[in-house]
Amino acid sequence: MLLRRITQHVKEQNWFAVGIDFFIVVVGVFIGIQVANWNASQFERREEAAIIERLQSDFERVKADAEQSFDFHKQMTEDIRTVLRSLRSGELKDDDIPAFERALLLGTVVQTSADRAGSFTELMSSGRGNILRNRDLLHTLVDYEDFLERYAFAQAFYVETVLLMTDPYKGAFEYDTDLRFSEELITSFDHGQRFVSYDFEALVANRDFHNAVEELLFVHSGLTLWRERISGRVNDIQKKLAASER
């Protein structure tokens, strides 16, 4: 209909009417583009909101895992210090027995955790990271991923150290090989349960055992620091996610 009108006005050389017709066409196209852009923008905002919700859920899990791992390695650091102090003094105090025996049984355990947010990995692999309008949040998430890469190298080194120390450490005492690592096992030592048997005087005289204890103290104190840094970064991400949600 509009095309016939324009053609008719051109034949009649009614240039004012032709101009009006073209103006209507241009305005119509412009409005159409604006509506399409608005629809696309609304779709992206809904998609961004869904992604932020998934990120919040993922980092709640990451935070819980990171804090659990931090608590374990902090506990092991304190317990192994008790072992080392007892060996150096040649005396095992009654109050130190739970920490001493917990360190014997669990000193070679490295507690891992799922530190990556699957939703962010998926977002970046699809090349859609720019959907996050909060650039500070995006950069923080990218920096967190880079930090995890560095942590992976450190963790691999610590695990290798633990493997090297396992024989001289666990070969110095006897323990129940059927035990399974759990939160209940960690706390059971404080309630007087005994899972290991050892000759304390023999441990004091065993230099290989001393060396293994020192190396494991280095491992657990290092992992405690790394886990603390991960928890701090996760807390920062959660704050920025909350700000982006508003």
Side-chain angles (χ1 to χ4, degrees):
M1 175 67 73
L2 184 59
L3 180 60
R4 286 204 302 270
R5 283 175 52 196
I6 294 173
T7 302
Q8 181 64 35
H9 291 154
V10 169
K11 288 180 179 178
E12 295 173 355
Q13 294 187 353
N14 187 347
W15 305 119
F16 177 78
V18 170
I20 294 295
D21 292 338
F22 273 110
F23 176 77
I24 293 172
V25 170
V26 170
V27 170
V29 170
F30 175 78
I31 292 174
I33 291 173
Q34 293 303 309
V35 169
N37 288 341
W38 184 84
N39 287 336
S41 177
Q42 289 298 105
F43 176 78
E44 286 186 353
R45 297 293 69 80
R46 288 194 296 270
E47 191 175 19
E48 180 191 30
I51 289 170
I52 288 175
E53 184 177 353
R54 288 181 59 196
L55 285 168
Q56 288 175 321
S57 176
D58 281 351
F59 276 102
E60 280 295 328
R61 172 193 53 77
V62 169
K63 179 180 181 179
D65 282 356
E67 289 179 348
Q68 185 179 52
S69 183
F70 168 78
D71 290 342
F72 172 75
H73 288 294
K74 183 180 179 182
Q75 180 74 66
M76 280 300 101
T77 299
E78 295 171 354
D79 290 349
I80 293 175
R81 282 200 178 104
T82 299
V83 173
L84 194 57
R85 183 177 63 250
S86 300
L87 292 175
R88 288 173 175 172
S89 68
E91 177 187 6
L92 178 55
K93 298 177 181 178
D94 290 343
D95 290 345
D96 289 337
I97 289 176
F100 188 93
E101 295 187 352
R102 183 167 48 230
L104 291 185
L105 187 63
L106 302 176
T108 56
V109 173
V110 173
Q111 185 171 350
T112 58
S113 61
D115 299 309
R116 281 189 163 82
S119 53
F120 184 67
T121 301
E122 179 185 334
L123 181 68
M124 297 305 289
S125 63
S126 66
R128 294 162 51 243
N130 285 332
I131 199 171
L132 296 175
R133 290 174 294 172
N134 186 335
R135 287 298 184 260
D136 186 31
L137 170 63
L138 180 59
H139 294 156
T140 302
L141 288 166
V142 171
D143 287 345
Y144 175 74
E145 288 291 312
D146 290 341
F147 179 81
L148 291 183
E149 291 294 330
R150 298 195 298 275
Y151 170 64
F153 284 105
Q155 186 180 53
F157 169 75
Y158 290 134
V159 168
E160 184 179 357
T161 302
V162 168
L163 292 175
L164 290 172
M165 294 299 110
T166 297
D167 286 345
Y169 189 73
K170 288 207 162 182
F173 56 89
E174 295 181 358
Y175 59 97
D176 185 352
T177 57
D178 293 329
L179 287 173
R180 294 292 178 266
F181 176 75
S182 66
E183 287 298 310
E184 291 75 18
L185 180 62
I186 295 174
T187 58
S188 62
F189 289 90
D190 295 322
H191 302 132
Q193 292 185 256
R194 309 295 291 270
F195 300 102
V196 295
S197 59
Y198 53 91
D199 180 341
F200 180 70
E201 295 302 324
L203 294 179
V204 171
N206 188 333
R207 300 313 304 172
D208 288 339
F209 181 73
H210 277 248
N211 180 63
V213 171
E214 291 173 354
E215 289 294 319
L216 291 175
L217 177 59
F218 165 75
V219 166
H220 286 288
S221 59
L223 285 169
T224 299
L225 291 174
W226 277 98
R227 300 308 316 182
E228 185 175 27
R229 292 169 69 190
I230 287 174
S231 293
R233 287 171 181 262
V234 169
N235 287 337
D236 188 32
I237 288 170
Q238 288 185 308
K239 290 177 183 177
K240 291 177 181 179
L241 283 170
S244 297
E245 188 181 30
R246 292 194 290 269

